[in-house]
Amino acid sequence: MSNSFKGDFKVTTQSLMGKAEVKRMRASLMAEFPSLSKKALDSILGKEELGVCKCSNGCTLYVPADSPPAFFDDGFGSVFPTLSTLWRVPDMMPELVTHAPVSKFLLPKERSSGADMMLPGVIVPDGGLGDVQIGQKRCIRVEGNAMPIAVGKMLVGSAEIKAGGMKGKGMEVKHVYHDSLWALSLIHI
């Protein structure tokens, strides 16, 4: 499912994670995002309790005390950072860079959830895109702006990209600037 937060959603249940659960989650996040330092993770999650909000769209939000949601589970067991987290630690995950005119297709508009990232819109750096794997989590940023505008997972790997000649859909967008999760994050800023 593309953009998990394309429409309104409601928080259906709220609870607090136990200390053991928080410890496991921290270890999992550190393993999955190797460039995320312990100090950065502590600043994101804080030292207090971590709230868990189950949502009507099937997603789960992980919310530090008195802060915007920091991470979300897309309902299929994959945990992604929110844009508010990526704006605090913009280099915590691999990225795809696009031209400014392409970004308008990614951003949600009235009656639209925004598009997934198409490979022709990706700017390939001199060193290439690196090792891309199907299901790999990446963020999208616009050329000239260090702050990510979307987060999602790759639909193709390096072999498919090479064989397809940078054509077709590249990344499924899960959360994007101006979607309903972003709007919820504004309440806490």
Side-chain angles (χ1 to χ4, degrees):
M1 174 174 102
S2 291
N3 194 349
S4 302
F5 301 97
K6 66 182 173 185
D8 292 334
F9 67 93
K10 291 182 172 68
V11 173
T12 56
T13 62
Q14 296 181 41
S15 61
L16 294 174
M17 288 181 89
K19 289 183 181 184
E21 289 175 300
V22 172
K23 189 174 180 180
R24 278 192 301 276
M25 182 174 186
R26 285 176 176 273
S28 174
L29 291 169
M30 295 287 293
E32 186 165 6
F33 302 106
S35 60
L36 180 62
S37 70
K38 183 183 180 316
K39 183 178 178 179
L41 186 59
D42 288 346
S43 76
I44 293 165
L45 295 181
K47 298 286 184 185
E48 297 178 29
E49 298 170 323
L50 188 61
V52 178
C53 299
K54 302 278 185 182
C55 302
S56 59
N57 62 0
C59 295
T60 302
L61 304 177
Y62 299 98
V63 186
D66 299 322
S67 297
F71 294 90
F72 69 94
D73 182 311
D74 67 352
F76 298 99
S78 292
V79 176
F80 296 85
T82 62
L83 288 178
S84 58
T85 295
L86 286 173
W87 290 352
R88 292 174 73 184
V89 189
D91 60 347
M92 76 178 274
M93 65 191 312
E95 66 184 13
L96 295 177
V97 179
T98 190
H99 302 282
V102 173
S103 67
K104 71 180 179 184
F105 297 107
L106 301 171
L107 302 175
K109 298 179 202 116
E110 216 174 291
R111 298 177 170 214
S112 165
S113 64
D116 287 331
M117 185 72 222
M118 302 300 285
L119 289 173
V122 174
I123 299 171
V124 180
D126 292 338
L129 294 173
D131 181 31
V132 180
Q133 298 171 7
I134 295 173
Q136 180 184 39
K137 296 172 188 173
R138 288 196 173 216
C139 64
I140 299 172
R141 70 173 187 80
V142 176
E143 184 179 37
N145 184 348
M147 297 299 122
I149 64 163
V151 63
K153 68 177 184 176
M154 295 301 296
L155 297 170
V156 292
S158 296
E160 293 86 0
I161 292 171
K162 186 176 179 181
M166 290 298 288
K167 293 187 184 343
K169 203 179 272 194
M171 189 176 99
E172 178 182 37
V173 173
K174 294 288 190 175
H175 165 45
V176 64
Y177 180 70
H178 273 227
D179 67 9
S180 57
L181 178 55
W182 177 84
L184 176 68
S185 296
L186 288 179
I187 295 169
H188 297 282
I189 294 177

